[in-house]
Amino acid sequence: MVIGVHFDLDQRTLSFSVNGEMKGVAVRDFPLDKFPTLALACFFTRKNSGVTIVERASKRVKLTLSFNFSQMGGSQTKNAQPIIYRGTAEEIDPSNYPKIEGHTLTLSDARKLGYMMYGNKEKGKDTHNILLFPGTPGSRFFCPKTIPDNVTVYVLERPGIGLSDPKPNRTILDWADDVLEFVDGLSIQHFGVIGYSSGSPYAYAVAYKLGGLTDEKGKLRLRGVSVVSSLAPPNTPNVTVGMPFFFKLGYYMAYYTPSLINMITTSGKQEVLTNPVRAGRSGMGAHAVVDQKEYQKKGVEGLFIQSSLEVNSRSQGIYVAEDYTLWCKDWGFDIADIKTKVHLYQGQLDLATTVNMATFISSQIPDSKLIVDPESGHMCIFHFWNDILNFLVSSLDGESVDVIEKENEKAEGRHQLDGADITISL
């Protein structure tokens, strides 16, 4: 799929096309102060970002940028290596989607909230309840690796995704109200939260709004929050520093041209439903090489493909776009007011949600700790998964987190804690 972004400085319009077919004007009165930055960045970084200038008028009145997602995902020529998929055929067969597996909870406004439960939930068996907010377009099927017997993970779908009904004019902070209804509806007294990638603003919203929530004995119900590959609020200094141009342009588009993001997310539906493996790998082309390799591992790629098929088979691209546009606008609260204990897990090589973002957030939240793996990227959730669960389980138990973390550091051999690089020889 080739997406063209067309700037017309005379008319101050921004339009876009898919595979050469014009889709109309996405935004009018485009802010001219942003144009030189985009144009120059495109010219100087086009090879690394997968962006090429295909048309330019002599006076630079018009400029067309072409984003070839297939080329970004690797060569698709007749001499290319065949795609080797290491998951199951059922995961990638579009005829199996949308799926009916899962659960819903009816909220007070009659909306349904979709979720899937993973782990051991036997009656009478003690368990540690953890809520997972996946990235975009993460569905209830996104749950990394295996779950210990003493843990139950609930993967929640945001409004408009999967089994969840949309919520008109929703905000990030509204999610905390849905979560409160969810834990009350399932009689969950104490819980921890995981927010991954674009699920991270929602994790912060829950920490902000539900952090002081107590049970009948006066004990905190939300015991800890783990945030992985975190996004940062738009007031973050130099929020796009460290990003390649492709991600910077996406950030600017989400902020200035939400209608364009909507067109892009909805136009990719047919490609996903026709060849989900190739579509997924093409979309990974702008990420770090370490992430592209992690993505293609058995048990990893299928998680993303399942969510992509689930969303696209339900024609929910408009709600995926809504997610993108929400996190680059004002979140509606100050992360500095979060009192809940927060651990941030970050890959040093992440090009999408950078170390700069995580560092800023860690500096703002009083009771937080930043842990960085120098060899991971955006997919570091799979590297840190056991650490994440151990932190939340220990927080739910009220045990000494420091003792557990020291054991994990010794086992993993590398972490960055409190801004200091620590390497431990095994």
Side-chain angles (χ1 to χ4, degrees), residues 46-112:
R46 60 188 186 278
K47 291 183 179 179
N48 292 331
S49 65
V51 180
T52 56
I53 298 177
V54 298
E55 179 185 339
R56 182 171 56 187
S58 59
K59 294 183 180 180
R60 290 199 226 178
V61 174
K62 295 181 181 179
L63 175 69
T64 299
L65 317 179
S66 174
F67 301 80
N68 192 323
F69 285 90
S70 295
Q71 290 180 358
M72 291 173 65
S75 174
Q76 304 298 331
T77 67
K78 62 181 181 180
N79 296 321
Q81 292 295 319
I83 286 180
I84 299 175
Y85 180 69
R86 297 178 174 82
T88 65
E90 190 274 342
E91 288 173 346
I92 61 172
D93 184 354
S95 66
N96 292 319
Y97 296 84
K99 289 180 174 290
I100 60 173
E101 291 93 339
H103 310 278
T104 60
L105 176 74
T106 302
L107 303 174
S108 59
D109 61 0
R111 284 184 299 117
K112 293 188 182 301

Side-chain angles (χ1 to χ4, degrees), residues 30-262:
F30 184 82
L32 293 180
D33 62 315
K34 295 297 179 184
F35 182 83
T37 301
L38 296 180
L40 287 173
C42 175
F43 181 79
F44 288 112
T45 66
R46 60 188 186 278
K47 291 183 179 179
N48 292 331
S49 65
V51 180
T52 56
I53 298 177
V54 298
E55 179 185 339
R56 182 171 56 187
S58 59
K59 294 183 180 180
R60 290 199 226 178
V61 174
K62 295 181 181 179
L63 175 69
T64 299
L65 317 179
S66 174
F67 301 80
N68 192 323
F69 285 90
S70 295
Q71 290 180 358
M72 291 173 65
S75 174
Q76 304 298 331
T77 67
K78 62 181 181 180
N79 296 321
Q81 292 295 319
I83 286 180
I84 299 175
Y85 180 69
R86 297 178 174 82
T88 65
E90 190 274 342
E91 288 173 346
I92 61 172
D93 184 354
S95 66
N96 292 319
Y97 296 84
K99 289 180 174 290
I100 60 173
E101 291 93 339
H103 310 278
T104 60
L105 176 74
T106 302
L107 303 174
S108 59
D109 61 0
R111 284 184 299 117
K112 293 188 182 301
L113 190 156
Y115 68 97
M116 187 76 89
M117 183 174 62
Y118 298 87
N120 198 332
K121 189 62 177 175
E122 296 178 5
K123 283 187 176 181
K125 185 177 180 68
D126 292 334
T127 190
H128 301 80
N129 297 300
I130 296 172
L131 313 184
L132 171 58
F133 310 153
T136 303
S139 73
R140 63 193 181 282
F141 298 116
F142 186 89
C143 190
K145 298 186 178 181
T146 56
I147 309 299
D149 287 342
N150 66 335
V151 172
T152 301
V153 176
Y154 299 87
V155 183
L156 275 58
E157 294 176 318
R158 292 189 284 282
I161 301 299
L163 300 177
S164 288
D165 292 330
K167 177 180 174 64
N169 303 313
R170 72 180 178 95
T171 67
I172 288 176
L173 204 53
D174 288 340
W175 180 245
D177 298 328
D178 289 355
V179 169
L180 179 57
E181 286 198 55
F182 177 82
V183 293
D184 285 347
L186 271 65
S187 300
I188 296 174
Q189 281 297 302
H190 306 114
F191 59 98
V193 163
I194 302 172
Y196 173 53
S197 188
S198 53
S200 58
Y202 300 93
Y204 295 127
V206 169
Y208 169 82
K209 199 165 186 178
L210 304 185
L213 189 68
T214 58
D215 60 18
E216 58 185 12
K217 297 181 180 179
K219 294 184 177 181
L220 292 175
R221 295 181 65 182
L222 176 60
R223 299 297 181 84
V225 173
S226 291
V227 181
V228 193
S229 303
S230 179
L231 285 162
N235 65 335
T236 301
N238 302 314
V239 66
T240 60
V241 168
M243 287 185 187
F245 171 68
F246 180 79
F247 288 120
K248 287 183 180 179
L249 183 60
Y251 192 92
Y252 288 136
M253 284 182 179
Y255 187 87
Y256 291 107
T257 63
S259 58
L260 178 58
I261 293 295
N262 181 29

